[in-house]
Amino acid sequence: MMQQQPSQPSDQTSHYQQQHQQWMAYQQQSSQQQQQPQTPVPPPAGWTPQPVPPPTQQTQPYGVAPDASSDGIRSLWIGDLQPWMGESYIARIFGRTGEFVSAKVIRNKQTNFSEGYGFIEFVSHAAAERVLQTFNGTQMPSTEQNFRLNWATYGAGERRRDDGPDFTIFVGGLAADVTDYMLQETFRAVYSSVKGAKVVTDRTTGRSKGYGFVRFGNESEQLRSMTEMNGVLCSTRRMRIGPAATKKPATGQQYQKGMPPNFSIFEKTIS
DNA sequence: ACTGAGCGC
């Protein structure tokens, strides 16, 4: 099996410099600082896929105790994680804030491979928000992709509860720098029922494909937004809004066991 | 880049 070399160490110096500037900017905001070991993050080059060792008791060398008086969600969702990015990678990055509590990468139960996303807990809602504002959309160390962060829907240990159906719109014409959070907040500023937003990206490069989706909890807001927000500026470009194609069929189970979920791909390929 | 697959055992 031949393996591609995604990035070369020779051009990583500038990445670290950029990242360093971001951290400096962060530390100016953050009142709390603590001593941090300067452990380099292992580069992805040469990484070979293998299941991580069996789950051991994860110690959190940089973690601090959560602030019990803080109300609101203290956890962030993080996406677009590469297979080699484990808890230690996340801890190394966010431990520098001095407000990091713990990290968890979600793994497949059978294979123990990363599912590509995880959760990061901070000492307080405010600390999590600072991280969201500071790191989101900036470059992840040792990669050419950007952090994909958002509020976790619920805190650790909480169960996802059914909060009703989603009413989704398609948003096209997005500038390359628009993040999920930016898109979400653009709409949330106007519509209270906005549940979330997702910018579609190329999974391997992490680059935006220039379109995304916004989910509403309220159908009338969804419909209103389609006319009211069409042509509105988000970052540097005007959004073009359309109805979202159905992501999931309205009827329950669509596929029989054993049939691949992307079965329809074959039909498209043939024609 | 114009219709995604992203919420924790």
Side-chain angles (χ1 to χ4, degrees), chain A residues 15 18-20 22-23 26 41 76-82 84-86 89-97 116 120 122 130-150 176-182 199 201 205-208:
Chain A
H15 300 165
Q18 287 175 22
Q19 197 64 46
H20 185 65
Q22 289 152 12
W23 282 333
Y26 180 91
V41 174
L76 298 181
W77 182 92
I78 181 167
D80 286 357
L81 295 177
Q82 297 295 319
W84 54 271
M85 296 174 176
Y89 174 87
I90 297 173
R92 230 167 268 143
I93 294 165
F94 296 101
R96 299 184 62 106
T97 65
I120 317 168
F122 294 91
R130 273 192 288 277
V131 167
L132 186 55
Q133 301 289 353
T134 311
F135 285 80
N136 203 12
T138 68
Q139 192 172 35
M140 302 174 86
S142 303
T143 73
E144 309 222 343
Q145 64 190 93
N146 293 336
F147 281 110
R148 180 166 235 177
L149 296 164
N150 210 330
D177 68 315
V178 173
T179 63
D180 297 345
Y181 187 67
M182 206 184 296
V199 174
T201 57
T205 66
R207 307 291 287 180
S208 167

Side-chain angles (χ1 to χ4, degrees), chain A residues 27-256:
Chain A
Q27 305 243 333
Q28 286 172 352
Q29 294 180 27
S30 179
S31 56
Q32 237 179 315
Q33 294 189 22
Q34 65 182 41
Q35 192 186 350
Q36 301 299 338
Q38 301 282 336
T39 315
V41 174
W47 181 89
T48 49
Q50 55 181 335
V52 297
T56 57
Q57 199 65 3
Q58 283 281 350
T59 57
Q60 304 295 344
Y62 310 119
V64 296
D67 175 3
S69 67
S70 170
D71 48 353
I73 294 286
R74 301 192 314 259
S75 299
L76 298 181
W77 182 92
I78 181 167
D80 286 357
L81 295 177
Q82 297 295 319
W84 54 271
M85 296 174 176
E87 280 82 358
S88 60
Y89 174 87
I90 297 173
R92 230 167 268 143
I93 294 165
F94 296 101
R96 299 184 62 106
T97 65
E99 302 181 300
F100 166 84
V101 174
S102 65
K104 182 176 187 181
V105 171
I106 304 307
R107 295 190 169 84
N108 181 287
K109 282 194 199 69
Q110 276 77 43
T111 67
N112 215 29
F113 278 112
S114 168
E115 298 282 6
Y117 70 93
F119 298 90
I120 317 168
E121 191 184 350
F122 294 91
V123 290
S124 65
H125 181 81
E129 179 150 34
R130 273 192 288 277
V131 167
L132 186 55
Q133 301 289 353
T134 311
F135 285 80
N136 203 12
T138 68
Q139 192 172 35
M140 302 174 86
S142 303
T143 73
E144 309 222 343
Q145 64 190 93
N146 293 336
F147 281 110
R148 180 166 235 177
L149 296 164
N150 210 330
W151 287 110
T153 309
Y154 300 104
E158 288 181 50
R159 271 274 168 180
R160 180 181 180 82
R161 63 163 186 263
D162 186 15
D163 56 349
D166 289 351
F167 301 94
T168 305
I169 60 168
F170 170 89
V171 184
L174 296 177
D177 68 315
V178 173
T179 63
D180 297 345
Y181 187 67
M182 206 184 296
L183 183 61
Q184 171 185 303
E185 293 307 305
T186 301
F187 281 82
R188 186 166 284 162
V190 186
Y191 308 103
S192 60
S193 80
V194 169
K195 287 184 179 179
K198 180 185 177 183
V199 174
V200 178
T201 57
D202 182 302
R203 185 58 200 263
T204 54
T205 66
R207 307 291 287 180
S208 167
K209 290 187 175 176
Y211 65 91
F213 300 88
V214 180
R215 293 180 296 114
F216 296 78
N218 177 306
E219 188 176 20
S220 68
E221 288 199 340
Q222 174 213 26
L223 294 172
R224 271 178 49 214
S225 76
M226 291 182 65
T227 52
E228 293 175 353
M229 299 298 274
N230 195 39
V232 169
L233 209 59
C234 182
S235 182
T236 57
R237 289 196 190 172
R238 297 185 184 283
M239 299 182 286
R240 200 165 76 227
I241 298 179
T246 4
K247 180 176 168 185
K248 238 178 5 185
T251 56
Q253 293 217 327
Q254 54 175 334
Y255 298 114
Q256 295 298 325

